[in-house]
């Protein structure tokens, strides 16, 4: 029997304007229940339902309060069936456009970010640490190949997509970061080139990884990516953003930030 | 001579913090050389192979979680895989926590201590920059960073 979720849990919720409206969906399926997110499947799409501290994700719904998320988590964790019902008729609450716009980078911020990321330790079993470092280090090459419309981008992307720990593997987070950085620096030709290559390789990763990568190619980025983007615009934001990124999964936040930083041209070098 | 054994969990998603904690904890057991807990994507299978941890004949899909143990003998590998399965089943998960607690780091998960408050940057945005958002028929104004306005809110 499907688990019924009280409609009141959605009071104050926000949703991705590019995602499902949820109107008409009477049943969803629980794919994953984490500590700060529950991933549902509805209408053939993934719907990440998140804790307010996690923020809104592409195609998702962010609940209004921690209490609401706790209640949802409690209901879902006690479910005997993966089907979740009772959210039909919800009109979507506040719809948020998760698109990134171009923004001027600050040379000092970019420099500081690169230095800080180079010093950032990688957690996890020792045998995986080297892989995570390799994947992060691949970001500058991927950004460069994308900007040059180089056909070798295909091989570069295929070697990182789906690679690394996590249900959204490190390589996917790096690629989302690179796409975000290219958007921020207003290099549309590079975004289109990288997007076309990424879309061809989506079968090489997990379903959640593919979900976020596809969204990134459509200029829909999780709110935490928007927050991370501040680090390249404001020197004072670098330290707090890195601290925040450390809390996104085991390595996801720093993976993403590494990709983003690698795709931002240093304003001073560009001027020279 | 080391042995490499695996267990596949079909279409199982778990928080990366929890998986890393499980792998790091199990790797400390006697007779265990390495433990991997990764999604079975082609790239990760290649990484396992390069690390001498790809079990012969492994067949898994990208959405499958694979736990791989390289141990000094068959017994150590078997016991470790059983412990991994128990952790994933929710019994004695290194990342388990009191109700309502959110773990943010592997260290938190491994020590099961309370994490510090979720770090919030001073520019935290809850929905966004553009001029207004509408919810339940009401219009509210959102604040935006003066330096950057990357996202926009539309009314439903």
């Amino acid at each position: 029997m499907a688990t019924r979720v009280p409609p009141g849990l959605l009071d104050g919720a926000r949703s991705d304007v590019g995602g499902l409206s949820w109107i008409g969906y009477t049943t969803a399926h629980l794919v994953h229940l984490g500590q700060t997110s529950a991933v549902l499947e509805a209408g053939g799409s993934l719907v990440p339902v998140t804790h307010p501290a996690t923020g809104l994700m592409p195609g998702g719904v962010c609940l209004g309060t921690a209490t609401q998320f706790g209640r949802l988590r409690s209901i879902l964790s006690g479910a005997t069936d993966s089907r979740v019902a009772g959210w039909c008729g919800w009109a979507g609450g506040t719809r948020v456009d998760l698109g990134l716009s171009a923004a001027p980078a600050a040379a000092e911020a970019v420099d500081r970010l690169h230095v800080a990321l180079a010093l950032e330790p990688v957690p996890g079993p020792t045998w995986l640490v080297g892989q995570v470092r390799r994947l992060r280090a691949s970001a500058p090459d991927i950004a460069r190949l994308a900007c040059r419309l180089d056909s070798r981008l295909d091989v570069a992307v295929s070697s990182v997509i789906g690679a690394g720990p996590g249900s959204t593997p490190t390589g996917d987070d790096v690629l989302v970061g690179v796409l975000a950085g290219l958007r921020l620096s207003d290099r549309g030709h590079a975004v289109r080139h990288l997007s076309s290559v990424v879309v061809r390789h989506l079968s090489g990763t997990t379903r959640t990884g593919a979900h976020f990568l596809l969204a990134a190619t459509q200029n829909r980025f999780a709110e935490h990516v928007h927050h991370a983007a501040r680090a390249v615009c404001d020197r004072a934001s670098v330290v707090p953003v890195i601290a925040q990124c450390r809390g996104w999964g085991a390595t996801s936040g720093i993976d993403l930030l590494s990709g983003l930083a690698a795709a931002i041209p240093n304003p001073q070098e560009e001027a020279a | 001579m080391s042995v490499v054994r695996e267990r596949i969990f079909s279409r199982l998603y778990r928080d990366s913090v929890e998986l890393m904690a499980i792998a790091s904890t199990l790797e400390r057991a006697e007779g265990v050389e390495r433990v991997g807990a990764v999604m079975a994507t082609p790239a990760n299978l290649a990484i396992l192979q390069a690390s001498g941890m790809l079990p012969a004949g492994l067949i898994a899909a990208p959405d499958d979680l694979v736990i791989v143990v390289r141990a000094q003998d068959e017994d150590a590998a078997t016991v470790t895989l059983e412990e991994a399965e128990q952790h994933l089943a929710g019994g004695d998960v290194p990342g388990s926590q009191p109700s309502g607690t959110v773990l943010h780091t592997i260290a938190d998960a491994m020590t099961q201590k309370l994490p510090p408050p979720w770090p919030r940057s001073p520019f935290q945005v809850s929905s966004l920059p553009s001029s207004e958002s509408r919810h339940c028929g009401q219009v509210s104004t959102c604040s935006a960073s003066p330096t950057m306005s990357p996202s926009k809110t539309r009314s439903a």
Side-chain angles (χ1 to χ4, degrees):
Chain A
M1 184 175 171
T3 303
R4 297 204 71 80
V5 177
L9 286 188
L10 288 166
D11 290 345
R14 298 174 299 119
S15 65
D16 173 12
V17 74
L20 298 171
S21 70
W22 282 57
I23 296 172
Y25 287 101
T26 57
T27 304
H29 287 267
L30 178 64
V31 176
H32 166 63
L33 180 60
Q35 294 175 30
T36 57
S37 69
V39 180
L40 304 179
E41 181 183 28
S45 299
L46 293 184
V47 183
V49 182
T50 46
H51 186 287
T54 300
L56 183 61
M57 294 192 171
V61 176
C62 181
L63 299 190
T65 67
T67 303
Q68 287 171 323
F69 185 83
R71 207 169 146 219
L72 174 70
R73 194 173 188 280
S74 172
I75 291 169
L76 295 179
S77 63
T80 54
D81 190 307
S82 70
R83 288 175 301 156
V84 180
W87 282 11
C88 56
W90 185 56
T94 301
R95 307 298 301 276
V96 180
D97 184 340
L98 292 171
L100 273 173
S101 303
E108 276 194 345
V110 175
D111 282 344
R112 193 175 189 189
L113 182 59
H114 282 297
V115 170
L117 286 172
L119 298 172
E120 191 65 19
V122 179
T126 49
W127 71 276
L128 258 185
V129 169
Q131 295 298 334
V132 171
R133 286 196 191 284
R134 175 186 70 81
L135 293 163
R136 290 177 183 172
S138 69
D141 277 343
I142 288 171
R144 194 164 36 245
L145 292 170
C147 289
R148 293 176 183 169
L149 306 181
D150 195 311
S151 60
R152 287 174 293 179
L153 183 63
D154 197 81
V155 173
V157 167
S158 69
S159 70
V160 303
I161 200 164
S167 56
T168 54
T170 292
D172 297 10
D173 289 316
V174 168
L175 286 170
V176 169
V178 171
L179 282 163
L182 294 174
R183 287 271 179 196
L184 283 170
S185 51
D186 202 18
R187 284 177 289 176
H189 67 290
V191 169
R192 286 188 291 277
H193 185 43
L194 179 54
S195 295
S196 66
V197 173
V198 165
V199 166
R200 283 203 299 273
H201 289 283
L202 289 179
S203 62
T205 189
T206 62
R207 197 159 170 218
T208 50
H211 173 85
F212 293 119
L213 276 169
L214 182 62
T217 67
Q218 298 166 342
N219 193 20
R220 288 158 56 225
F221 295 91
E223 280 182 325
H224 66 234
V225 181
H226 290 246
H227 300 159
R230 309 294 168 117
V232 298
C233 302
D234 172 20
R235 184 176 186 274
S237 296
V238 172
V239 171
V241 163
I242 286 180
Q244 198 170 27
C245 285
R246 286 189 195 117
W248 300 336
T251 65
S252 282
I254 301 296
D255 299 338
L256 189 144
L257 198 54
S258 300
L260 193 152
I264 301 287
N266 189 305
Q268 285 178 334
E269 290 172 7
E270 283 223 313
Chain B
M1 180 74 177
S2 299
V3 298
V4 177
R5 297 291 180 266
E6 86 288 353
R7 203 151 292 181
I8 297 167
F9 301 87
S10 181
R11 294 174 70 93
L12 182 67
Y13 285 97
R14 282 297 164 93
D15 285 345
S16 54
V17 172
E18 187 179 321
L19 291 177
M20 285 266 205
I22 289 173
S24 296
T25 301
L26 295 178
E27 224 173 51
R28 293 189 203 137
E30 193 165 336
V32 176
E33 296 171 356
R34 282 181 175 178
V35 177
V38 294
M39 303 305 288
T41 61
N44 277 341
L45 297 183
I47 289 172
L48 289 174
Q49 185 165 34
S51 306
M53 293 180 67
L54 184 67
L58 176 70
I59 298 175
D63 277 323
D64 296 339
L65 171 66
V66 58
I67 305 282
V68 181
V69 174
R70 195 171 82 193
Q72 289 170 1
D73 56 51
E74 196 73 47
D75 287 348
T78 302
V79 168
T80 304
L81 285 170
E82 285 172 359
E83 283 184 21
E85 192 163 352
Q86 283 174 10
H87 290 326
L88 289 169
D92 178 25
V93 182
S96 65
Q97 72 291 334
S99 177
T101 302
V102 177
L103 304 174
H104 296 302
T105 68
I106 295 169
D108 289 338
M110 291 179 71
T111 59
Q112 298 186 42
K113 68 182 181 185
L114 289 175
W118 183 265
R120 282 186 179 275
S121 69
F123 43 77
Q124 181 92 12
V125 280
S126 54
S127 35
L128 279 324
S130 69
S131 54
E132 51 187 26
S133 63
R134 184 172 296 146
H135 175 53
C136 297
Q138 295 181 327
V139 175
S140 60
T141 302
C142 297
S143 61
S145 158
T147 56
M148 189 174 158
S149 301
S151 64
K152 304 159 283 288
T153 303
R154 292 180 195 167
S155 57

